[in-house]
Amino acid sequence: MRRVLLCLLWLLRAARGQAAARPNIVLLMADDLGIGDPGCYGNTTLRTPNIDRLAAGGVKLTQHLAASPLCTPSRAAFLTGRYPIRSGMASRSRVGVFLFTASSGGLPPSEITFATLLRDQGYRTALVGKWHLGMHCAHADDFCHHPLSHGFEHFYGLPLTNLRDCKPGAGSVFGTGVRLLVFLPLQLLAVALVTLAALRRLGLLRVPPLAFGLLLAAAVALLALLVAFLHTYRPLNCFLMRGRHVTQQPLSYELLTQRLTAEATRFLRQSAGSPFLLLVSYLQVHTALFSGPDFAGRSRHGAYGDAAEEMDWSVGQILDTLDELGLANNTLVYFTSDQGAHVEEVSLKGEVHGGSNGIYKGGKGNNWEGGIRVPGIVRWPGVLPAGLEVDEPTSNMDIFPTLAGLAGTPLPDDRVIDGRDLMPLLQGTRAVSEHEFLFHYCNFYLNAVRWRPRNSSSVWKALFFTPKFSPEGANGCFPSHVCFCHGPFVTQHHPPLLFDLSRDPRERTPLTPATEPQYPRVLAAVRRAVERHAQTLRPRAPDQMAAGHLVWKPWLQMCCSTWSQGCHCDREPPPPSPGTH
């Protein structure tokens, strides 16, 4: 009898050890949420009780960094543990993200995501929400970039992203392009017509009627193209998918967060008996801002606050479901944002629709700290200490090797993995980040280097160029809606600007040889690190963000009805009843 009891105890311990080694994984990624938005990072006017309770029960990272300050490259790095330049997901042009579902660029099939690693280890895998990493390569049914081709067994959400253009009356992200490609040519055509008419009337020039006709035809064609674009963008690019099938085109914002949350909690209930990976990629708080009736008009920060508080409610629903199913103690939950708040986001009515980056300079689209320092919270009760704060450089690329280690699978040995396993830092067994150097890219261009020396408390940051904020004295690039990464839009620095973030986290006062004795040594170390890093980038990956991959290609367009019907359908079940708050 004693031997039987000992055997049972041994089996129980073994089962517990296996469970602890292979936890369930829930990853929660906000879109454009600033580090100054959650209460646990110091906000006293935005209500985020569920994000805050996650932090209270886990580890809060205070120097957690996005690998890029824009959605598409940041998410590529997050999923693969690699700088986006390695996968060709870093643009050389002003357009740094995908703007059309029917474009041919995307996360290459050769890339390995953490979803693929965990699926191959027996995990059930699901993505609910935003993807924004491409869909098709050559034809509309190859789905080579689709989530289901990158390790996720279940997908429900937006293949592209949430844009102003997806919500009637919210404006357009293409305003600058429309002005350059339509309004400016129209103005030139109008000037040409008036000038020719005046010269003809004065008898100074004989202008054949055909010339007037051609100019008028060009003006009419431009206007027709603009109207067609405004009329078709929403149904063609703003739709919901389940798996590889379109279920709602265009998407409806009615109780959209509730629908996505219901899908996430449904997956948790269906997967309770096996290890699972759930990535909830929120549409909030990217514009167009939206919220259900239980949240609209309730916050102290207008539409932005309403959307943020609704997202926090969704986080609470997921945490409550884990508690209800008895899974909380065997589930690692991670919360973050893909980059900093979009400070230039202002509505047509002049309302501020961007969030707060706290004390940090800049925001989405640039590598000042406000653009890349994001919330980072990790909870695993009984394994990670509750209430611990880690003020060491960490990256959203670190999730890849961390999950690989927890799932018991080796890292791929045929490629460079830039992330580092977070568990030693999270468990308090390591005091210094494994990232001695981190490289901050602005699209394709190396923008800055962060150095955390092993034998020092300093965190040095050298910036090779900085965006030209506009208007003068602003904290962003408001005329262009986001800062660009090269050419006349940036100021090059020779030598680079140097800051010690441990003393100057606001990046207010660049150091000089006169104010910092270590200035030459730091810049020399940074230069050597850049040279070593550059050697690891050869050969270059195929450019997924080239113009040929970014443009709209009609043969790749998904349409749930017929073109003559305008690509309209609604195969979604009725939305859940309001009143769930």
Side-chain angles (χ1 to χ4, degrees):
M1 186 66 175
R2 185 179 178 184
R3 287 183 178 179
V4 173
L5 288 173
L6 288 172
C7 188
L8 288 172
L9 283 172
W10 182 86
L11 288 172
L12 181 61
R13 286 177 181 173
R16 285 178 176 171
Q18 185 176 12
R22 285 169 52 87
N24 303 310
I25 307 294
V26 174
L27 309 174
L28 309 170
M29 176 170 274
D31 196 348
D32 293 0
L33 186 75
I35 194 171
D37 287 326
C40 54
Y41 283 92
N43 196 313
T44 59
T45 57
L46 198 62
R47 294 171 296 186
T48 57
N50 296 296
I51 297 171
D52 299 346
R53 72 160 153 142
L54 192 62
V59 181
K60 184 174 74 171
L61 306 171
T62 61
Q63 203 176 155
H64 196 48
L65 304 161
S68 173
L70 279 177
C71 303
T72 293
S74 174
R75 290 163 185 270
F78 169 62
L79 284 165
T80 64
R82 289 154 52 81
Y83 290 111
I85 194 171
R86 297 195 190 279
S87 56
M89 298 292 281
S91 173
R92 289 175 167 88
S93 70
R94 298 185 200 177
V95 182
V97 300
F98 296 118
L99 295 172
F100 302 96
T101 56
S103 56
S104 57
L107 190 63
S110 59
E111 288 297 314
I112 299 173
T113 69
F114 55 65
T116 300
L117 292 182
L118 268 63
R119 181 201 62 193
D120 292 347
Q121 291 295 311
Y123 276 70
R124 297 192 72 210
T125 58
L127 166 62
V128 175
K130 167 179 171 173
W131 175 239
H132 210 185
L133 292 171
M135 283 231 289
H136 310 293
C137 286
H139 47 87
D141 57 357
D142 62 22
F143 294 103
C144 70
H145 302 308
H146 190 276
L148 299 190
S149 299
H150 280 294
F152 292 101
E153 299 169 313
H154 306 278
F155 170 61
Y156 175 68
L158 274 71
L160 192 64
T161 185
N162 179 34
L163 290 173
R164 286 182 178 186
D165 304 72
C166 294
K167 188 177 181 182
S172 174
V173 298
F174 297 97
T176 301
V178 168
R179 284 193 295 272
L180 290 174
L181 299 176
V182 178
F183 291 157
L184 182 59
L186 280 176
Q187 289 171 343
L188 294 175
L189 286 170
V191 170
L193 282 167
V194 170
T195 303
L196 290 176
L199 292 173
R200 184 182 183 186
R201 185 176 184 85
L202 294 171
L204 299 175
L205 182 68
R206 292 188 62 185
V207 183
L210 179 61
F212 284 103
L214 290 174
L215 289 173
L216 283 171
V220 170
L222 280 172
L223 283 172
L225 285 172
L226 175 61
V227 171
F229 174 79
L230 296 175
H231 180 71
T232 60
Y233 186 88
R234 183 167 173 254
L236 293 185
N237 291 282
C238 310
F239 54 81
L240 280 176
M241 296 185 76
R242 182 177 295 278
R244 295 185 176 93
H245 303 286
V246 177
T247 59
Q248 191 177 63
Q249 191 173 17
L251 71 89
S252 168
Y253 285 94
E254 183 184 5
L255 295 175
L256 182 52
T257 302
Q258 285 72 13
R259 285 183 276 152
L260 295 170
T261 304
E263 183 74 14
T265 56
R266 188 180 305 114
F267 175 80
L268 293 177
R269 297 181 193 281
Q270 293 171 347
S271 307
S274 61
F276 58 80
L277 162 71
L278 170 64
L279 169 57
V280 181
S281 180
Y282 286 103
L283 310 184
Q284 289 143 329
V285 282
H286 196 293
T287 52
L289 296 175
F290 64 95
S291 55
D294 286 342
F295 298 90
R298 301 293 180 87
S299 79
R300 294 169 61 181
H301 292 278
Y304 182 90
D306 299 344
E309 292 184 2
E310 183 176 62
M311 180 182 64
D312 180 82
W313 164 85
S314 175
V315 171
Q317 294 295 295
I318 291 167
L319 298 181
D320 291 346
T321 302
L322 292 173
D323 290 339
E324 176 192 333
L325 297 173
L327 298 173
N329 289 342
N330 190 36
T331 301
L332 182 146
V333 181
Y334 167 74
F335 177 86
T336 191
S337 178
D338 56 355
Q339 63 263 326
H342 193 176
V343 297
E344 297 96 342
E345 197 57 87
V346 180
S347 76
L348 294 174
K349 298 178 180 178
E351 302 163 330
V352 176
H353 277 186
S356 168
N357 292 313
I359 66 170
Y360 303 108
K361 187 175 182 177
K364 175 179 178 176
N366 60 77
N367 281 302
W368 292 113
E369 288 296 281
I372 53 176
R373 195 180 290 221
V374 294
I377 302 168
V378 191
R379 189 192 77 173
W380 186 2
V383 178
L384 302 182
L388 177 66
E389 288 192 13
V390 174
D391 188 26
E392 287 288 314
T394 58
S395 169
N396 61 0
M397 297 184 295
D398 296 338
I399 296 303
F400 183 96
T402 302
L403 298 190
L406 293 175
T409 183
L411 293 176
D413 59 5
D414 62 343
R415 64 200 64 207
V416 176
I417 301 298
D418 299 296
R420 299 292 182 266
D421 191 340
L422 283 172
M423 288 305 289
L425 273 178
L426 298 176
Q427 292 181 301
T429 60
R430 183 182 178 93
V432 178
S433 172
E434 286 193 52
H435 290 290
E436 184 178 3
F437 292 95
L438 278 166
F439 302 92
H440 301 303
Y441 281 87
C442 189
N443 288 342
F444 178 82
Y445 307 95
L446 182 60
N447 190 176
V449 175
R450 183 181 305 248
W451 180 30
R452 170 66 168 97
R454 307 296 190 203
N455 57 352
S456 168
S457 60
S458 292
V459 179
W460 306 101
K461 183 178 177 184
L463 287 122
F464 305 121
F465 62 84
T466 51
K468 294 179 180 177
F469 285 167
S470 179
E472 187 176 350
N475 189 39
C477 306
F478 286 85
S480 56
H481 190 62
V482 71
C483 293
F484 299 130
C485 299
H486 65 286
F489 305 100
V490 301
T491 300
Q492 301 286 341
H493 300 288
H494 307 287
L497 298 184
L498 182 65
F499 300 91
D500 182 356
L501 298 177
S502 66
R503 291 177 287 169
D504 184 16
R506 291 177 169 86
E507 299 171 289
R508 287 181 171 176
T509 308
L511 300 170
T512 67
T515 60
E516 177 51 61
Q518 297 190 68
Y519 185 93
R521 183 180 75 86
V522 172
L523 289 190
V526 167
R527 280 194 294 269
R528 290 192 297 270
V530 170
E531 291 170 0
R532 292 193 300 269
H533 173 66
Q535 294 298 319
T536 72
L537 298 176
R538 300 190 180 98
R540 294 285 188 189
D543 186 0
Q544 298 295 317
M545 308 298 292
H549 284 311
L550 291 174
V551 297
W552 178 69
K553 298 180 177 178
W555 59 92
L556 299 181
Q557 182 62 54
M558 296 200 69
C559 184
C560 63
S561 57
T562 63
W563 285 86
S564 62
Q565 294 173 319
C567 294
H568 281 73
C569 69
D570 190 352
R571 297 164 188 154
E572 285 285 298
S577 300
T580 52
H581 176 40

